Amino acid sequence: MQENYLPQDIEPTVQAQWADNNAFAANDNSDKPKYYCLSMFPYPSGKLHMGHVRNYTIGDVLARFKKMQGFNVLQPMGWDAFGLPAENAAMKNNVPPAAWTYSNIAYMKKQLQSLGLAIDWQREVTTCKPDYYRWEQWLFTRLFQKGIIYKKSGIVNWDPVDNTVLANEQVIDGKGWRSGAVVEKREIPMYYFKITAYADQLLTDLDQLDGWPEQVKTMQRNWIGKSFGADIIFDYDQDSIGQAGQLKVYSTRPDTLMGATYVAVAAEHPLATLAAEKNPALQDFIAECKAGSVAEADMATMEKKGVATGFYVTHPLTGDKLPVWIANYVLWGYGEGAVMAVPAHDERDFEFAHKYQLTIKQVYQSTTGAEFNVDTWQDWYANKDDSIRSINNGKYDGLSFTAAFDAIVADLEATQHGTRKTQFRLRDWGISRQRYWGCPIPIIHCPSCGDVPVPDHQLPVVLPEDVVPDGGASPLKRLPEFYQTTCPSCGGAATRETDTMDTFVESSWYYARYASPQCETGMVDPQAANTWLPVDQYIGGIEHAILHLLYARFFHKLMRDEGLVQGDEPFKRLLTQGMVLADTYYREMPDGKKDWFNPADVALEKDDKGRAINAILTTDNQPVLIGGMEKMSKSKNNGVDPQALIDQYGADTARLFMMFASPPDQSLEWSDAGVEGAHRFLKRLWRSVYLHQQKGFIPALDVANLDNNSRDLRRKTHETIGKTTDDIARRFTFNTAIAAIMELLNSVQKLDAKEGQALAVEREALEAAILILSPIVPHIAEKLWQSLGHSDIVNAAWPMVDQNALTRSSIELMIQVNGKLRGKIEVAVDADNATVEQLALAKPEIQRFLETPPKKVIVVKGKLVNIVV
């Protein structure tokens, strides 16, 4: 082998070898147990970032580890290729989104391959290709016929910059998740997935997911939001409204009904429309409300505003008249678009009532002695347990929460003014998008037949790929050759739907397509799906806890009900990797904004303890401000180019640093020094094997003929095998596994074997280190393994612990005098206490503390000797 470690020579050669041997192809017919390891596929934005590198390295380490343990491993890769960024880039560069996307895919694929990932590239999928989205359209038509997909007009989040609808989950702080524009409300016809029909299953099946982080499961439970309450009916006050009718609200607190002092309706509610007919002030307020977000998360933080309508409704139990308000915190489409307001026991209503000086009526008191203050909200006001008792409630006085709930609902049901009801916070998923670069919705609009699904033999509805968007309405609306067609039912002239699907649809089932990506007879091949699903280990960011993971779980149940897959859940285990953080540097601009500079362009002045005290921009030698560690991002200009890192140090250094710097579920702080340290370790590993090879003939290992030092190294080797196996297989603490290998290498160098069995033990230790490191740094491991006379390491087995090697003939004990460590002693494992005591007292470094005979000697077997003087 060559003397120096040269990753730029090694890595391309090893990657070519793997490609020639098709080393990572998964076998659909293997007798081995299967292991499906999947990292969330990337959007082809142009090039990889460090978050990608970390995500895919974690998955690759696990996939390679499982392969070495004897599993039939599937690790595929594909591209989440539809989406608005491609349209924006196409307009900027005056090229079709398809051309931009396919070019990016080609470049990013080379980058992934340069990382040495053990991917079965024969299973690659690209969601913008017709052979993929054809089956998405096929499922759409079936679900449409079943009513699981339906069309209706509804109030939606409208992004005025991207000119498209956003799901509630895509609205962040009232703004579009991609554009950052303030979201508006609009009413348009939309196609919806009836995800609410699966709400109970999505909730209860979370209990099956023992391998998911509790944080993610809690986020999904809260989003699904199962609640128990009642529908409550308020009759219209005909004198004020001018007509008969009823207002229905859903409340999780019917027990507080006697404390209701007003009702509030959404701006789109029929009562609001009626009240505003001759009231310009109300019309203006309704218009303001409609311009706001429809995301429930925004309701909690926004300023609560309202206007009285002059209408009243009748309290169903007391007959009192309650004023009707229009309020911006009430959402149309959530429940009945109306709420029963109980200011004394709901914090939002409390805030609203104080702002508009409305009545606050207390109907619960604390059983712990806490006083009610009408001017200050306290958390106990909203309690639902035995810490409260009903007051000011007439016949319900003295009742607990549960008793009051049951009694009031029973009385409402008796008068047909209410009924017990279970409800979910989850809302149906609107998937229509008014943009071009997405999967066409397979519906034909016929003047005679209505909305007609595209027949199977006409699928896929192919999206034209030679279109350059101009930023206006979807180009599909201006392409007669696309939208003009004939009705498949009556043969008359008809038009195609020009909306496309939310791109989260494509990412909701790709994991299943990997099982049979070339299947031309169905969405998935049921036999292949049964072989590989569910995914054994899924890896991705916590930011997908609701958006993607909930939709994928929903889609799996849809496919299950179509007979395409088995089981209830798509992902058995989930690992949410932490973010990659890096230093930030900036200057304050005159307009108050910050101009961010990349760390590669900044030089640091440090104090004698290595702490940065000044930062200088190298291009102008002027100071910049230190902004601290933040997530690598374009906005902060603190990203590190993975390709530059690979070009300089090699992929193995990048992989080693990523796995060593932090446990995978925690944030990783980027460190140039850490990268250099990882590279030095790989050079030391290479050097150790090189020097070992220079020692000539290595005898076969004879465990019966070892000296103490060789026996110690062999024990260290097998202890390391046991520890690293547990670290990787059970705990995913790759960093501690790497640290254990570093310790083992130190022990190898300390032994400094010259001849005989010491060389054999050294060989065993180095081979174990290479095998254990191979999932993490596969290129150098492959070369070193072959240099030691073995065939491909990708087909090697994980090392096994030899229990006999762990047996110790002697142990080291600490010696304390009056509780302070004063020395060490090595004794036979089976030495009795008297022998241990005698040897400890005889140590010269101990005798100097024994001016008088010790009062007591305590031997803690296997650990220490404590001498009391």
Side-chain angles (χ1 to χ4, degrees), residues 829-841:
V829 172
D830 56 356
D832 58 26
N833 285 1
T835 301
V836 172
E837 179 179 333
Q838 182 181 0
L839 291 171
L841 294 174

Side-chain angles (χ1 to χ4, degrees), residues 453-474:
V454 175
D456 289 358
H457 70 275
Q458 293 182 14
L459 294 176
V461 177
V462 177
L463 184 75
E465 292 190 349
D466 57 353
V467 175
V468 180
D470 58 12
S474 170

Side-chain angles (χ1 to χ4, degrees), residues 806-825:
L806 303 179
T807 303
R808 293 174 177 264
S809 59
S810 63
I811 55 174
E812 188 176 65
L813 305 179
M814 303 297 106
I815 305 175
Q816 294 179 345
V817 179
N818 286 352
K820 292 185 177 181
L821 180 64
R822 298 300 187 184
K824 301 176 183 178
I825 186 174

